[in-house]
Amino acid sequence: MLLSFSGPLAYAAIAVAWSTFVVPHTKDADDTLALMAAIPDYTSDASIVFEADTTYNIWSPITFPPFTNVEVVISGNLTYPTSIKTVQGHVATANYSGAWFSFTGGHNVTLRGNTDPDWGWVDGHGQQWWDIMQQTNRPSGWLFKNVTNGIIRDMKIYKPIAWNFGTIGSSNMHIFNNIILANSESASFPFNTDGFSAGGTDFLFENNHVVNGDDCLAVGSGAKNVTWRDSYCEGSHGLSVGSLGAGGQVASVENVLFENTIMNRTLYAARFKSWTGGNGAAINITWKNITFIDVMLPIFVTQNYQDQSGGPYPSSSSVNETRIENFLFDNFVGVINDTPGYVEGSCITDPCWYHVSGATGKEGVIFDLYPKTATNIVVKNLVAHTLSGAPVAAMCNSSTISNDVGFVCSDGPYVPTQAGL
Ligand SMILES: *[C@@H]1O[C@H](CO)[C@@H](O)[C@H](O)[C@H]1NC(C)=O
Ligand SMILES: *[C@@H]1O[C@H](CO)[C@@H](O)[C@H](O)[C@H]1NC(C)=O
Ligand SMILES: *[C@@H]1O[C@H](CO)[C@@H](O)[C@H](O)[C@H]1NC(C)=O
Ligand SMILES: *[C@@H]1O[C@H](CO)[C@@H](O)[C@H](O)[C@H]1NC(C)=O
Ligand SMILES: *[C@@H]1O[C@H](CO)[C@@H](O)[C@H](O)[C@H]1NC(C)=O
Ligand SMILES: *[C@@H]1O[C@H](CO)[C@@H](O)[C@H](O)[C@H]1NC(C)=O
Ligand SMILES: *[C@@H]1O[C@H](CO)[C@@H](O)[C@H](O)[C@H]1NC(C)=O
Ligand SMILES: *[C@@H]1O[C@H](CO)[C@@H](O)[C@H](O)[C@H]1NC(C)=O
Ligand SMILES: *[C@@H]1O[C@H](CO)[C@@H](O)[C@H](O)[C@H]1NC(C)=O
Ligand SMILES: *[C@@H]1O[C@H](CO)[C@@H](O)[C@H](O)[C@H]1NC(C)=O
């Protein structure tokens, strides 16, 4: 059969040329400046390459302009300033864009690292911040703001200072094969080293490996159609939705699926939290096929979130709550860490910020729901053991929920019911 190639060939002939910018490196100098000077010539149809065998000094924040068809390739190592004061100085400036590396919009934008074990790391020198609990003017790592069709792949982050990847206002993002290592080598805790946030629509996260000290993934308000799968989270605060509804905010989260993930030595495996007094709703959220290894509390849902180190729950019976609807926790298998006296590293107050009054530490699930605002929330196929061998417990207040939640809704032993089998 004869095919006409005139269409595609004609198109190829007029296609714009692709340009490549190799970021220059100067010994003992800030490499951001030369990059920022050149960038206006590479905002479309371009590759911006941090080349291999080079350690770049990213001594001041990088704010990329909106891009169209641009990839940023991290083949060399990138290092933050080792001076805490230098970093803080930049974060404190009025024009700080919200992250050390910011993408500020555009279409078809790729951030790509590599899989070489020796190169392609972004080193935040976070350990020294964690060791002195320095929490003033900490930068976020990477911000993808208002990007459509974004890719973040093969990135390798080493000891970030705090939060890693933010995605607010972006849509259609594929975020995969990334490694975040925020594990502390001392007794100090890597506070707020959240792995990823999902703050937009149409996100697929897969094959990510995160060792950190806060949420592995945090799905925030405005998120819709988010899938997270085939990943590993260690030391973190889990696969979270929230916090929603702070200060009466109208939250909206819809159609979220977390599946096929190992949660190793985390505080929670799955967590939902909204603040008392919130508005809006979180609808259709599923956590499925989650393996948990020595996790303190596999499933935790609270519509009354309050940092317990900041005092007791606010007393409120008349304000609104963020509604929750159609939540499913399916096929959770693993071991609860109920070792007596065990304290998760982020607990530095008495009571801990995550303290739940009346909890025994043996709970497989805690539902802390608000009356008339939670519908169809179910735990199915939860197969849990405790490290101590003690029976698994649950907490749930039956006067706050009318559906069969999959276990006997009371504070006591975990006993599956019809909906839970
Ligand atoms: C999107 O950008 C990539 C580079 O990251 C490029 O190879 C590809 O052709 C672009 N897609 C379109 C449709 O232009
Ligand atoms: C931000 O302001 C500082 C001076 O306060 C300047 O040196 C720096 O280049 C500015 N950065 C950006 C991204 O505009
Ligand atoms: C988002 O990006 C589009 C173009 O890609 C631009 O028109 C719009 O102003 C941007 N919005 C914000 C809030 O930055
Ligand atoms: C690149 O950075 C990582 C993390 O800091 C480090 O382990 C590795 O040795 C560095 N590579 C080279 C070739 O220096
Ligand atoms: C959900 O997001 C994924 C990943 O971006 C996309 O492929 C899919 O088409 C979206 N689904 C809907 C219903 O929009
Ligand atoms: C619930 O969310 C899942 C996962 O995002 C999606 O596939 C499904 O279509 C949603 N269901 C409804 C009724 O919207
Ligand atoms: C469950 O998740 C694990 C990874 O944690 C994966 O290996 C396994 O294939 C998944 N099972 C199903 C039925 O998808
Ligand atoms: C869980 O984490 C511990 C501590 O980092 C590690 O030794 C162990 O290999 C991990 N388990 C799995 C299954 O990855
Ligand atoms: C509570 O919700 C109602 C109905 O959505 C709304 O009109 C009202 O403003 C909300 N109250 C507060 C304090 O947010
Ligand atoms: C259960 O919830 C109801 C309604 O909020 C409340 O009045 C009651 O004190 C709760 N019971 C327990 C044991 O927490």
Side-chain angles (χ1 to χ4, degrees):
M1 189 165 57
L2 241 176
L3 291 172
S4 164
F5 287 105
S6 61
L9 282 176
Y11 177 77
I14 57 156
V16 290
W18 196 268
S19 47
T20 296
F21 176 65
V22 176
V23 182
H25 166 62
T26 308
K27 195 169 180 290
D28 300 325
D30 181 4
D31 293 322
T32 298
L33 306 175
L35 169 64
M36 292 320 293
I39 270 308
D41 294 335
Y42 297 91
T43 59
S44 62
D45 305 290
S47 298
I48 295 163
V49 180
F50 291 87
E51 65 183 336
D53 301 329
T54 305
T55 296
Y56 287 91
N57 301 320
I58 312 301
W59 289 350
S60 50
I62 293 175
T63 303
F64 293 115
F67 280 148
T68 306
N69 304 332
V70 169
E71 60 168 359
V72 173
V73 182
I74 314 288
S75 297
N77 271 359
L78 268 49
T79 173
Y80 282 59
T82 51
S83 156
I84 290 177
K85 284 207 152 46
T86 300
V87 173
Q88 288 176 315
H90 286 292
V91 172
T93 59
N95 62 5
Y96 175 65
S97 67
W100 204 254
F101 300 87
S102 303
F103 291 81
T104 58
H107 183 75
N108 186 24
V109 180
T110 295
L111 171 64
R112 178 155 60 87
N114 65 20
T115 53
D116 182 333
D118 296 324
W119 290 107
W121 289 92
V122 182
D123 190 345
H125 309 290
Q127 186 75 49
Q128 54 176 351
W129 294 68
W130 311 334
D131 284 344
I132 60 169
M133 255 198 53
Q134 178 53 262
Q135 300 190 340
T136 304
N137 287 329
R138 290 175 295 171
S140 293
W142 300 80
L143 176 61
F144 264 61
K145 190 177 176 181
N146 190 30
V147 170
T148 57
N149 293 17
I151 295 176
I152 301 175
R153 58 174 299 183
D154 304 319
M155 289 294 293
K156 302 197 301 285
I157 309 296
Y158 186 70
K159 301 214 181 199
I161 296 163
W163 314 268
N164 288 285
F165 292 94
T167 58
I168 190 135
S170 290
S171 62
N172 200 19
M173 298 270 309
H174 191 190
I175 300 177
F176 63 105
N177 288 349
N178 302 291
I179 297 175
I180 296 172
L181 300 182
N183 40 329
S184 175
E185 272 154 37
S186 69
S188 58
F189 191 79
F191 282 99
N192 308 108
T193 48
D194 299 66
F196 299 92
S197 82
T201 58
D202 305 320
F203 282 80
L204 173 58
F205 295 87
E206 53 188 344
N207 296 310
N208 295 302
H209 179 109
V210 181
V211 182
N212 70 339
D214 209 309
D215 294 326
C216 188
L217 170 65
V219 175
S221 185
K224 188 169 177 182
N225 181 26
V226 174
T227 297
W228 165 280
R229 66 188 178 205
D230 304 335
S231 292
Y232 175 85
C233 303
E234 182 184 318
S236 75
H237 292 166
L239 298 171
S240 303
V241 176
S243 312
L244 303 181
Q249 176 207 44
V250 182
S252 164
V253 174
E254 237 180 290
N255 303 350
V256 180
L257 171 64
F258 305 88
E259 63 176 348
N260 307 348
T261 295
I262 294 173
M263 307 301 294
N264 185 10
R265 307 175 66 85
T266 59
L267 172 56
Y268 307 105
R271 168 166 69 150
F272 173 86
K273 53 174 176 167
S274 58
W275 295 83
T276 301
N279 289 286
I283 300 171
N284 182 25
I285 304 181
T286 297
W287 287 260
K288 189 163 103 183
N289 185 26
I290 306 293
T291 301
F292 53 95
I293 303 168
D294 301 353
V295 164
M296 286 186 76
L297 177 48
I299 301 171
F300 183 46
V301 175
T302 180
Q303 289 179 286
N304 295 300
Y305 181 65
Q306 164 79 351
D307 177 343
Q308 291 303 293
S309 63
Y313 289 108
S315 63
S316 65
S317 51
S318 58
V319 296
N320 298 345
E321 293 302 309
T322 306
R323 277 187 303 117
I324 66 180
E325 225 174 280
N326 302 347
F327 279 24
L328 174 64
F329 302 85
D330 188 9
N331 192 12
F332 275 61
V333 179
V335 177
I336 298 165
N337 182 1
D338 67 334
T339 305
Y342 177 79
V343 175
E344 193 268 347
S346 69
C347 172
I348 50 170
T349 52
D350 188 8
C352 294
W353 65 271
Y354 54 77
H355 176 73
V356 176
S357 170
T360 62
K362 301 176 193 316
E363 284 76 17
V365 48
I366 295 179
F367 280 174
D368 175 20
L369 306 175
Y370 198 80
K372 300 198 188 80
T373 54
T375 47
N376 190 27
I377 165 166
V378 177
V379 175
K380 251 174 108 152
N381 305 311
L382 166 62
V383 183
H385 300 279
T386 58
L387 268 179
S388 72
V392 173
M395 289 181 80
C396 180
N397 178 343
S398 63
S399 71
T400 59
I401 180 87
S402 55
N403 71 275
D404 176 350
V405 294
F407 57 95
V408 173
C409 181
S410 65
D411 298 352
Y414 170 75
V415 180
T417 54
Q418 190 62 36
L421 301 172

